[in-house]
Amino acid sequence: MIEARGLTKVYGDKTAVAGVNFTVEAGRVTGFLGPNGAGKSTTMRMIMGLDRPTSGSVTVNGSPLTGHAAPLRDVGALLDAKAVHTSRSAYNHLLAMAATHSIPKKRVHEVIEMTGLAEVARKKVGGFSLGMGQRLGIAAALLGNPQTVILDEPVNGLDPEGVVWVRNLVKYLASEGRTVFLSSHLMSEMAVTADHLIVIGRGKIIADAPIQEIITGKGQGRTRVRTDQPDRLMQLLAGTGISVEVRERELLEVTGLDPRQIATAALENHVMIYELTPLQASLEEAYMELTKDEVEYHSLITTGAVPVEAGGN
Amino acid sequence: MSSTTVESTPSPRGAGNRAQRSGNGSSSGPGPSFPRVLNSEFIKFRTLLSMLILLGSTVVVMVGFGALSAWGTGQFSQAAAQDPEAGARFAAQGGDLAVGVPTSGIAFAQLILGSLGVLLMSSEFTTGMARSTFAAVPKRLPAFAAKLVVVVLSSFVITAASTLLAGFVSVPILDNYGLGLDLGSSQSVKLLVVNSIYVAAVAAIGMALGTLIRNSAGGIMSLVGLFFVAPIAFQLIPGDFFVEARKYLPGNTVEPLTAVEHVPNTLEVWQAGLVLGAWVVVPLLLAAILLKKRDV
């Protein structure tokens, strides 16, 4: 379990993390989602004791990392795929890391096999692709068979097969009762990987909830309606806080009413409806909604989010 | 492949008892004790080709300069009687010119091994390795101390060994000129030991600079500035202050420490020892304090 209490990090006149409170529970995958520069990596470095908090504290299983008797056996982290000396081989890197905790060579070979690095393990890390670097970082994180696993943007640079592998790996680790904390700026990846989501923007926690709640809770519910009398139905549904958009000749999208209210209005006025589909906002949409005021680098051109049917994704 | 990987994926050991572990931060296995961190630092040292190249270069330079100096000393020995400056150096070694031959490459060895000290630490930061190192040893200072042991020990051993080797190569050359060199004489042993300690001290200063500056080029330039530029600059600047200050530069402590008789305008032996010690201890302390405080 990871607990942050009033965790703050200030660099010069820039506040990277502004007094955040959150708890990462064991036994589930907790996603840490936020735009670039939101404070995800800074927070993770503070968990690992690499950056000192300006104020507040963060603990793993009740104590800061400096208080752990065998840190590598408690917490494994991939913070940066390039946290390796480029002139050393992957095997020697892991061997040196393992030596600090008397982790046997057998375990070094295990994590190399596990991460699919066997063929390149004796090569210098400097020649590794970003994907191989990520695999080595994950191998190092798992070296001590830790109870808590922290992965900063683990799917960056991985091929599709590697992305699926990481997804399955983190789910498996969580199913074993471990604490898994995973950051990403990719909403789509989080939607299929995480059980619980902590959303951060400009150093503040914007949302901390089960992923399903974030998808349904934000983004207003919309309903797709097909009818052969679209003009009449539009008139019937009109009201404050309700918007009706015409998508096709006989297809409307209604916001502000639930399907039952639409069906009732249609039934009472003898308007035939031949489709009534609740639309769920995608995580992407929910995320955009959550972070629209918090992103540090606004793009000038914003593209509209595409709604996804409920049950989809 | 994905579905097959899942099964073979994580946790080959201890998957079952994992979840039962109490959540109070207790660990199931040995942690980073000093001997283990030291072992890790030795592995890191010997698995870097650049470190081995620097050690090899030291041997080549020391033996090369030893041989060259043996030849030059032989040529020089005849003219020595008329040259007053040579006479002074003669006196400093108790009239024995040949005894200093094996350590004649020290100025270059100190540059190479000082750079080794800088690089071993600065490369941790330039490559990002520091994040792995200090995540495994969050208290940081054990890793710093272990690295220091590696730097000091390797520099001392390689300097002593290459001095001895340079001696073996020089003896027959000097013999040609009728000059005797007894590698077992007390002055020979003293030169070997003091110079090796001195070079190890320079390497330690280098490591302190690498920790403070965290940049390879900057660290090596500071080292060169301190050991090569400052002595010359201090000599060129007029005024008594700089003449006096020059004696306290770390590079000027070897002469008084190895002289048979006190050479004028140098520190006393005990002063030189203290000055060199201060040059090692102060930067190392600063480096350790800042390493503990700063973000990695």
Side-chain angles (χ1 to χ4, degrees):
Chain A
M1 192 170 69
I2 303 167
E3 284 176 291
R5 294 290 168 261
L7 189 63
T8 304
K9 182 69 190 182
V10 180
Y11 296 108
D13 57 354
K14 193 179 170 335
T15 303
V17 178
V20 303
N21 293 293
F22 63 81
T23 302
V24 182
E25 302 279 357
R28 67 185 186 197
V29 178
T30 302
F32 196 28
L33 183 63
N36 289 331
K40 301 187 295 289
S41 299
T42 305
T43 303
M44 287 182 156
R45 282 200 305 272
M46 285 194 282
I47 298 172
M48 294 310 292
L50 295 174
D51 280 18
R52 306 285 191 218
T54 308
S55 64
S57 69
V58 62
T59 59
V60 180
N61 296 336
S63 65
L65 208 64
T66 44
H68 284 244
L72 272 193
R73 295 178 190 275
D74 291 339
V75 193
L78 160 72
L79 292 181
D80 188 337
K82 285 180 237 104
V84 181
H85 199 299
T86 41
S87 314
R88 205 174 276 126
S89 73
Y91 173 77
N92 284 329
H93 171 71
L94 293 170
L95 193 68
M97 297 291 295
T100 59
H101 286 60
S102 282
I103 295 166
K105 270 185 192 170
K106 188 170 140 278
R107 179 63 184 169
V108 173
H109 288 291
E110 273 170 10
V111 294
I112 286 172
E113 286 296 325
M114 198 189 294
T115 49
L117 286 171
E119 277 175 42
V120 294
R122 299 282 179 175
K123 294 203 170 98
K124 281 186 184 177
V125 178
F128 276 24
S129 66
L130 183 53
M132 285 193 282
Q134 294 284 21
R135 286 171 182 271
L136 176 57
I138 293 169
L142 298 177
L143 198 57
N145 201 15
Q147 165 68 20
T148 303
V149 179
I150 296 169
L151 305 172
D152 193 5
E153 306 267 1
V155 300
N156 258 10
L158 285 182
D159 50 18
E161 180 255 310
V163 172
V164 174
W165 172 72
V166 169
R167 195 181 296 161
N168 290 326
L169 173 72
V170 295
K171 286 182 175 176
Y172 183 86
L173 292 171
S175 76
E176 288 185 303
R178 296 176 209 245
T179 307
V180 181
F181 195 36
L182 176 78
S183 86
S184 180
H185 63 273
L186 301 171
M187 306 132 266
S188 49
E189 187 50 37
M190 283 300 182
V192 289
T193 310
D195 305 310
H196 190 95
L197 210 54
I198 296 172
V199 183
I200 187 170
R202 284 200 190 170
K204 290 185 199 125
I205 302 295
I206 303 168
D208 183 349
I211 196 149
Q212 200 53 39
E213 211 169 280
I214 287 184
I215 294 172
T216 53
K218 287 285 172 170
Q220 267 193 308
R222 269 179 297 180
T223 310
R224 186 155 70 193
V225 186
R226 279 185 207 271
T227 171
D228 53 3
Q229 291 172 269
D231 294 341
R232 173 130 173 78
L233 188 63
M234 277 178 79
Q235 285 171 6
L236 290 169
L237 296 178
T240 48
I242 297 158
S243 78
V244 183
E245 289 169 68
V246 184
R247 292 286 175 194
E248 285 169 31
R249 207 161 59 81
E250 296 195 343
L251 176 63
L252 304 175
E253 234 174 66
V254 182
T255 314
L257 289 172
D258 64 25
R260 173 178 281 272
Q261 292 169 307
I262 298 167
T264 309
L267 182 65
E268 283 170 354
N269 295 281
H270 303 284
V271 174
M272 189 194 75
I273 293 176
Y274 62 94
E275 187 192 339
L276 192 62
T277 311
L279 296 177
Q280 195 180 44
S282 66
L283 179 57
E284 182 162 307
E285 231 180 339
Y287 172 65
M288 292 297 214
E289 181 69 27
L290 279 170
T291 59
K292 66 182 176 193
D293 303 322
E294 308 291 345
V295 289
E296 188 166 27
Y297 312 106
H298 273 289
S299 1
L300 289 174
I301 304 159
T302 46
T303 50
V306 183
V308 173
E309 281 185 40
N313 207 3
Chain B
M1 168 181 172
S2 59
S3 60
T4 50
T5 346
V6 193
E7 273 135 316
S8 65
T9 310
S11 177
R13 290 177 290 129
N17 59 30
R18 265 290 117 182
Q20 293 160 21
R21 185 196 283 180
S22 57
N24 59 1
S26 66
S27 327
S28 64
S33 65
F34 189 72
R36 292 191 193 107
V37 177
L38 187 60
N39 181 28
S40 170
E41 288 298 333
F42 261 113
I43 293 171
K44 280 158 75 176
F45 181 76
R46 70 171 165 79
T47 54
L48 280 182
L49 187 61
S50 54
M51 292 299 138
L52 304 180
I53 289 173
L54 289 174
L55 292 183
S57 309
T58 306
V59 177
V60 170
V61 164
M62 285 293 288
V63 174
F65 269 89
L68 211 63
S69 170
W71 177 62
T73 304
Q75 299 279 339
F76 182 78
S77 61
Q78 285 112 15
Q82 293 99 32
D83 190 329
E85 197 190 322
R89 251 190 279 165
F90 227 82
Q93 297 303 336
D96 185 355
L97 202 59
V99 78
V101 164
T103 51
S104 48
I106 282 294
F108 299 94
Q110 71 170 21
L111 183 61
I112 295 170
L113 295 172
S115 303
L116 178 146
V118 172
L119 286 171
L120 199 61
M121 195 50 123
S122 64
S123 68
E124 288 260 344
F125 292 99
T126 55
T127 61
M129 180 68 203
R131 283 190 287 277
S132 295
T133 302
F134 297 119
V137 189
K139 290 191 168 75
R140 299 187 190 174
L141 292 185
F144 179 78
K147 231 180 211 358
L148 183 63
V149 170
V150 170
V151 164
V152 166
L153 221 58
S154 61
S155 305
F156 180 86
V157 169
I158 206 76
T159 307
S162 52
T163 300
L164 205 60
L165 198 61
F168 288 138
V169 170
S170 306
V171 168
I173 300 173
L174 288 166
D175 200 42
N176 269 348
Y177 293 94
L179 289 170
L181 171 59
D182 177 8
L183 296 177
S185 75
S186 67
Q187 183 62 6
S188 276
V189 172
K190 185 179 173 187
L191 278 169
L192 182 144
V193 172
V194 171
N195 275 291
S196 300
I197 290 172
Y198 169 73
V199 172
V202 176
I205 295 170
M207 195 188 117
L209 291 172
T211 313
L212 290 167
I213 299 170
R214 297 189 171 191
N215 172 294
S216 304
I220 292 173
M221 284 323 291
S222 314
L223 193 78
V224 169
L226 183 60
F227 285 91
F228 285 82
V229 180
I232 297 167
F234 278 30
Q235 204 165 26
L236 295 178
I237 304 170
D240 288 345
F241 173 77
F242 287 98
V243 173
E244 186 63 21
R246 196 170 174 272
K247 294 186 206 166
Y248 293 88
L249 289 173
N252 290 334
T253 55
V254 195
E255 199 180 6
L257 283 172
T258 52
V260 175
E261 283 167 41
H262 183 249
V263 182
N265 283 320
T266 62
L267 298 174
E268 297 292 337
V269 177
W270 63 272
Q271 288 174 321
L274 281 180
V275 167
L276 183 60
W279 273 107
V280 173
V281 171
V282 173
L284 279 175
L285 272 179
L286 258 173
I289 291 167
L290 283 176
L291 180 69
K292 184 84 181 167
K293 278 183 72 174
R294 284 158 91 182
D295 292 341
V296 174

